[in-house]
Amino acid sequence: MFARSKPLLVLVALALTLGACSNDAEPPTASDETPTPTVEPKCPLTGFDVPAGVRADRPAVAIKIENNPSAYPLSGLDDAEIVFEEEVEGGLTRFMAIFHCTDSKKAGPVRSARVVDPAIMTPITKILGDAGGNGQVKKALDKGGIVSIDETAAGSAMRRVPRSGYSSEHTLYANTAALRKIGQKKYDKPPPQDLFDFNVTGSQGKKVKTLTATFSQSSVVVYRWKRGAWMRFDHDSPLTMESGTKIAVDNVILELHKVNYSKKITDVLGNPSIEIADAVGKGTAIVFRGGTMIKGTWERKSLNSAVRYETKDGKPIALQSGTTWIELLPDKSGEVKGSYSVSKK
């Protein structure tokens, strides 16, 4: 009776052996698997590789720097990755210099903020180093969620540097790394990676050698294509930093905007402040890169979205990897009027 169970036991044992062999098959080795490619982060404001020792996930810092001949030489603009230029009262212009993968130990002279600043710096960053502002400006900064750091809040991140022959408003300087440590306690987001389109060859454009942008009779800006960069000239002279560096950048962008006089804000002399009326919308943009000019449009759907630059047929305009200066130039539609011209010479 029990003798008949022997063949059955053999079959069961064989089945268990085969099952064990099947379950004990070695998993594929790492060399058999397709590796997932790693994408190294780039500096979103320049398209360059992130320098050693720099965290790509850190926030950028914006600094308001004056552009007044009585304050020359300026400092720190040669370290900035992006620089915006806007017209202010009295026909002068002012810079907003932005640092992300770079820093400056001495950027300035630092001057006061303006109502339009939240629109300019968003969504790149919300950390702003400035010399304060009036009540209307502070309300605009608060509404825009800007972490405004003035001389009082900055502590050792800003300092007064006495300058023989200069008035006190031309003596405040900022350390961007120190300001970042303060600002990132409230805002720690890095700039979006898709702010700009970077391309080595870029879009085809018309060859030009000189761009002249006229904000006012007292503020005429010239860029000349020399030795592979756009060299900046103010008042017929190269814009030269305190370090001795002459400003020369990889890209220049003209954004034409409707600009009006403020009905509420004036300076100490009674000059009305200047306000950009179309921070959101669509207008003319001209990109200068590689010794060429590409005419197209700028478009911005909301204050929290980035500005997009496109050709007339809707294709993105690519920038050369590197530094970019953006001129917020008044067009002919507003109360404040600007103009520009280009030349092949």
Side-chain angles (χ1 to χ4, degrees):
M1 177 176 181
F2 291 101
R4 291 181 181 178
S5 64
K6 185 175 182 180
L8 179 59
L9 291 173
V10 172
L11 289 174
V12 171
L14 181 60
L16 291 174
T17 301
L18 291 174
C21 292
S22 144
N23 292 333
D24 290 342
E26 293 185 1
T29 62
S31 59
D32 296 329
E33 298 176 353
T34 303
T36 302
T38 58
V39 179
E40 295 295 329
K42 297 283 187 179
C43 294
L45 305 187
T46 63
F48 289 151
D49 292 335
V50 178
V54 172
R55 291 181 60 104
D57 61 350
R58 72 184 190 178
V61 175
I63 307 289
K64 292 305 297 286
I65 297 177
E66 66 177 318
N67 183 28
N68 189 330
S70 62
Y72 288 177
L74 310 178
S75 297
L77 293 173
D78 47 331
D79 295 318
E81 295 163 289
I82 299 287
V83 175
F84 290 89
E85 185 168 15
E86 60 182 292
E87 187 169 354
V88 293
E89 58 279 350
L92 297 175
T93 65
R94 190 159 292 180
F95 300 119
M96 178 184 285
I98 302 185
F99 307 79
H100 176 237
C101 285
T102 60
D103 275 307
S104 175
K105 293 182 178 180
K106 186 183 180 184
V110 178
R111 295 303 299 270
S112 57
R114 290 294 182 271
V115 169
V116 74
D117 289 344
I120 295 175
M121 60 193 294
T122 304
I124 301 175
T125 185
K126 289 186 180 292
I127 301 175
L128 177 64
D130 59 66
N134 61 34
Q136 294 292 333
V137 171
K138 290 180 179 179
K139 286 181 181 179
L141 296 177
D142 290 342
K143 184 178 179 180
I146 302 303
V147 182
S148 174
I149 306 173
D150 61 12
E151 184 177 6
T152 301
S156 61
M158 286 188 188
R159 60 193 174 100
R160 291 283 175 178
V161 180
R163 306 173 74 191
S164 178
Y166 293 84
S167 55
S168 61
E169 66 263 28
H170 307 313
T171 63
L172 182 62
Y173 293 87
N175 181 310
T176 60
L179 283 179
R180 183 181 291 106
K181 288 183 179 180
I182 297 172
Q184 66 185 4
K185 295 175 182 178
K186 295 183 178 180
Y187 183 83
D188 61 359
K189 295 181 180 179
Q193 282 287 335
D194 62 347
L195 282 171
F196 302 101
D197 291 290
F198 292 106
N199 187 283
V200 175
T201 56
S203 307
Q204 297 297 318
K206 178 182 178 182
K207 289 186 178 181
V208 297
K209 285 291 184 70
T210 304
L211 159 66
T212 302
T214 302
F215 286 88
S216 68
Q217 290 183 348
S218 56
S219 293
V220 179
V221 177
V222 176
Y223 290 92
R224 295 193 178 104
W225 179 250
K226 289 188 174 185
R227 296 183 291 275
W230 295 101
M231 181 171 285
R232 162 92 180 214
F233 291 79
D234 286 68
H235 311 285
D236 299 323
S237 299
L239 182 57
T240 306
M241 298 293 99
E242 186 180 21
S243 64
T245 300
K246 293 178 172 61
I247 293 296
V249 299
D250 298 290
N251 308 284
V252 179
I253 302 176
L254 286 187
E255 278 187 35
L256 300 186
H257 288 271
K258 182 177 181 179
V259 179
N260 294 323
Y261 293 110
S262 174
K263 302 299 187 293
K264 299 179 180 179
I265 304 175
T266 60
D267 65 7
V268 293
L269 298 177
N271 297 312
S273 185
I274 307 298
E275 296 181 355
I276 294 177
D278 58 351
V280 172
K282 189 173 184 178
T284 298
I286 308 169
V287 174
F288 296 82
R289 54 155 292 170
T292 66
M293 174 184 77
I294 306 162
K295 193 168 184 178
T297 62
W298 64 264
E299 184 173 6
R300 192 180 195 187
K301 295 182 179 180
S302 72
L303 288 177
N304 291 320
S305 61
V307 177
R308 300 301 179 192
Y309 303 102
E310 296 182 344
T311 61
K312 291 182 178 180
D313 56 0
K315 296 180 180 179
I317 299 178
L319 303 182
Q320 186 78 30
S321 294
T323 51
T324 301
W325 282 42
I326 302 174
E327 305 293 337
L328 304 176
L329 188 68
D331 62 18
K332 300 295 186 182
S333 66
E335 297 172 343
V336 181
K337 303 184 189 303
S339 64
Y340 73 93
S341 62
V342 297
S343 171
K344 292 184 178 180
K345 296 181 180 181

